[in-house]
DNA sequence: AATGAATGAGGGTTCATTCAT
DNA sequence: AATGAATGAACCCTCATTCAT
């Protein structure tokens, strides 16, 4: 794919991500995606096999991006607590922009008719992403900062998922947690109390 | 068959809840709901105005049931900690059976075209349900058992939502938390440490 | 059919005629007919084989009634012109009440799946009704009052149909013809001018 | 197939007009229209919003065509009587081809759920068409050829509607009026007798 | 005889996908 | 490569009809 195509594909990606974030898969129409991307309906099909494929590729596109950036955040020479704070900042922001999309897609995954290789790729991607996180928390455990009431992978999952609380807070009209509140919640639960 | 049958409606409810739990709204076909309920396709429409209405009524049906039973669990003479344990037992079980359904429906709610009165009713139901929970946690705060790093309503939301972690644990192949694990997680975070 | 049944059947007839007059066949629902007749939906089917049968019987019911009453009007000892005036009065009134129904039904007749005997009966009914009228106009021709630019049967048809003009006048917002206007129109066209 | 094809739309128009002429609105199936037009069922919906919209557009399509051609017939330098004869020739032919369609549609109009603008457009179209006719008959009145027992608009309506008689004649098995018969009928009624 | 709950065939409409240009 | 007109499978919903009571 040449330069020009890359741009077209990215416009499609942006449009699709935007719409899939806001609406249910079946509420999003290919025509709408095409229009918002300023391309013809048929053009999408030169880049993606089907609507499901587009959804899947959107997810992977985001996961890869997230993986890359998150790796950069946690693979650093700073001390654990400082890095954790950076990680919270990063995730807090990422969550705000992408959680709706990812939540939605993951809820749909079981119904997607994916090829064997796609499933394999997705599984690897998910685990690779979790591994980065879990390795980081393992470091916290090894340094004696985090208590091991959970496995490092479980902690990584809680870390990913805890920002969901804010969605519910918003739903019920409660004040949302700031990134500092989130950090405090996390340390209260997982840090060894002095 | 003369009187509109409570049983028929319950069969439809059961079938719909079951399918809506397993699949996306648009993947569930009315014909499938009818078949699994052992009724004709048209019969559903004598009880529910539309597929969306059926989904909505399913949610309300469950919320009402949940509200009633949960109220019984927490409105008791037992001491706070014992009652909290009962509440965890109850929620853990409820979550296993119903969370998929409720999660899915709540994700769809914004797209549902509900009547004013339906919206009002849903809002009331959600808040009524949360109130029972939040009153209970307020008692914990008042008794000095729970620290007030969050409002009682926020705690109630966390309490509802924390079982979600298990869904993710399952997704990533991590061991799920037992009800005791959940209770320990909660007390670690919200109980005053002696 | 006993007394009681006759009443029920007439309530169904009235309800059906009323609705078929106002709406298209397919817009009229059996439930609506039943409700307006204060009977159960199933009851209609104890009197009529189907919705089409009900429509057909409605038409016949009206034609018979019309035939009977119109016969009484024209079979009289009064002179031709006086009788014609009476006929206009009668038809003008009949038209106002029933033309919508009859027009509608006749437009539907070709699509109705009628039994051989029903078709035969309808044909006889239509012709019998026309015959009364045409015999009367033949008398006018024989008496030298009406000129024979048309057959008596054609005149009878024009006589039946001319009130239609008022429907169109109303549609276009023009003043409608009074019964006297109609009579004048008719005589201008068919009476020998002195 | 790049440009939305005028031919495709005309094929749909022809097919729809043909079927709506022969059958009741609800007896005509979209599938049938599509098949007779040699297009896919969905294609119709790229040209028309709904079945009702198609019916409405069919009517307007015909009225516009009729208006244009009829205007050409009556807006001429020939003398009144000659022009009237031409008008009869034209209407007689038009009626044979289109009256069934227009009659049927007009009977349905009250039940159609039309937009404000559609209603306005239809109203204008109807009146514009009638105006051409009524202006012409006004000329006849002004020239002293036609007596003014009716307004020119009423005469125009009678002129439009009188061909209906032939439909009834056919129904009852009477000989139909030729265009000359119709002309004679009209002049007998509306022309000043010398 | 009367009822109305239950039925399911049938049809209007949507929309992902194709393919000629 | 890009397009969008055309397609038809699929699905929600309606409503005439049936039948157990």
């Amino acid at each position: 794919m040449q330069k020009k195509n890359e741009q077209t594909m990215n416009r499609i990606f942006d449009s699709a991500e935007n719409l899939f974030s806001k609406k249910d898969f079946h509420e999003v129409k290919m025509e709408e995606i095409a229009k918002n991307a300023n391309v013809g309906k048929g053009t999408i099909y030169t880049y993606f096999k089907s609507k499901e494929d587009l959804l899947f590729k959107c997810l992977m596109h985001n996961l890869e991006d997230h993986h890359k950036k998150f790796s950069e955040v946690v693979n650093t020479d700073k001390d654990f607590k400082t890095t954790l704070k950076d990680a919270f900042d990063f995730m807090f922001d990422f969550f705000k922009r992408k959680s709706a999309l990812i939540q939605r897609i993951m809820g749909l995954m079981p119904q997607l008719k994916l090829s064997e290789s796609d499933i394999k790729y997705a599984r690897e991607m998910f685990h690779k992403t979790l591994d980065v996180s879990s390795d980081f928390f393992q470091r916290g455990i090894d340094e004696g900062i985090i208590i091991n009431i959970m496995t490092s992978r479980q902690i990584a999952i809680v870390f990913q998922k805890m920002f969901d609380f804010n969605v519910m807070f918003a739903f019920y009209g409660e004040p949302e947690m700031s990134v500092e509140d989130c950090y405090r919640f996390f340390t209260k639960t997982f840090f060894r109390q002095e």
Side-chain angles (χ1 to χ4, degrees), chain A:
Chain A
M1 296 182 192
Q2 294 87 5
K3 199 82 212 278
K4 188 184 169 203
N5 299 348
E6 186 108 359
Q7 284 193 8
T8 304
M9 184 151 125
N10 279 330
R11 281 214 311 285
I12 296 170
F13 262 142
D14 288 346
S15 171
E17 283 175 18
N18 181 31
L19 289 166
F20 284 140
S21 295
K22 292 199 286 219
K23 302 196 225 176
D24 186 63
F25 180 68
H26 288 91
E27 310 287 335
V28 176
K29 312 303 173 203
M30 290 303 266
E31 182 133 36
E32 207 182 359
I33 297 174
K35 189 180 291 178
N36 287 12
N38 275 314
V39 298
K41 227 184 324 172
T43 308
I44 299 176
Y45 286 87
T46 65
Y47 292 90
F48 304 96
K49 278 203 308 289
S50 67
K51 192 182 175 187
E52 292 204 346
D53 184 47
L54 173 55
L55 180 77
F56 178 73
K57 294 286 202 327
C58 272
L59 177 60
M60 291 303 115
H61 185 244
N62 274 281
L63 285 186
E64 274 165 23
D65 182 61
H66 177 253
H67 174 68
K68 204 162 131 295
K69 290 183 180 154
F70 186 72
S71 297
E72 284 168 16
V73 170
V74 297
N75 292 327
T76 168
D77 294 336
K78 300 182 195 169
D79 71 289
F80 181 77
K81 286 188 182 175
T82 307
T83 310
L84 181 61
K85 267 184 188 136
D86 290 345
F88 264 90
D89 285 338
F90 175 79
M91 278 299 282
F92 192 81
D93 175 64
F94 175 78
F95 194 87
K96 234 184 320 196
R97 288 181 297 108
K98 300 291 188 174
S99 78
L101 175 67
I102 293 183
Q103 289 269 74
R104 209 179 283 280
I105 298 180
M106 285 190 54
L108 239 35
M109 288 289 285
Q111 276 123 70
L112 293 184
K113 300 170 267 311
L114 299 171
S115 67
E116 281 302 310
S117 64
D118 276 349
I119 291 172
K120 190 158 165 287
Y121 174 57
R123 187 182 304 276
E124 278 171 16
M125 200 63 231
F126 276 118
H127 281 88
K128 203 165 65 172
T129 302
L130 191 68
D131 285 344
V132 174
S133 202
S134 114
D135 288 350
F136 172 66
F137 288 114
Q138 188 57 49
R139 185 184 143 199
I141 293 173
D142 295 343
E143 294 185 11
I145 297 169
I146 287 181
I147 57 177
N148 61 352
I149 54 168
M150 283 187 183
T151 67
S152 63
R153 289 171 66 82
Q154 283 179 321
I155 295 171
I157 292 164
V158 170
F159 172 65
Q160 266 182 31
K161 200 67 184 147
M162 64 178 293
F163 301 92
D164 266 8
F165 290 138
N166 264 349
V167 176
M168 294 307 289
F169 289 171
F171 180 86
Y172 279 108
E174 289 298 301
E176 295 181 40
M177 291 189 284
S178 67
V179 62
E180 287 79 20
D181 292 335
C182 292
Y183 183 76
R184 216 167 302 132
F185 184 108
F186 184 87
T187 57
K188 178 77 170 69
T189 308
F190 292 110
F191 272 27
R192 185 174 310 284
Q193 311 293 335
E194 305 98 39

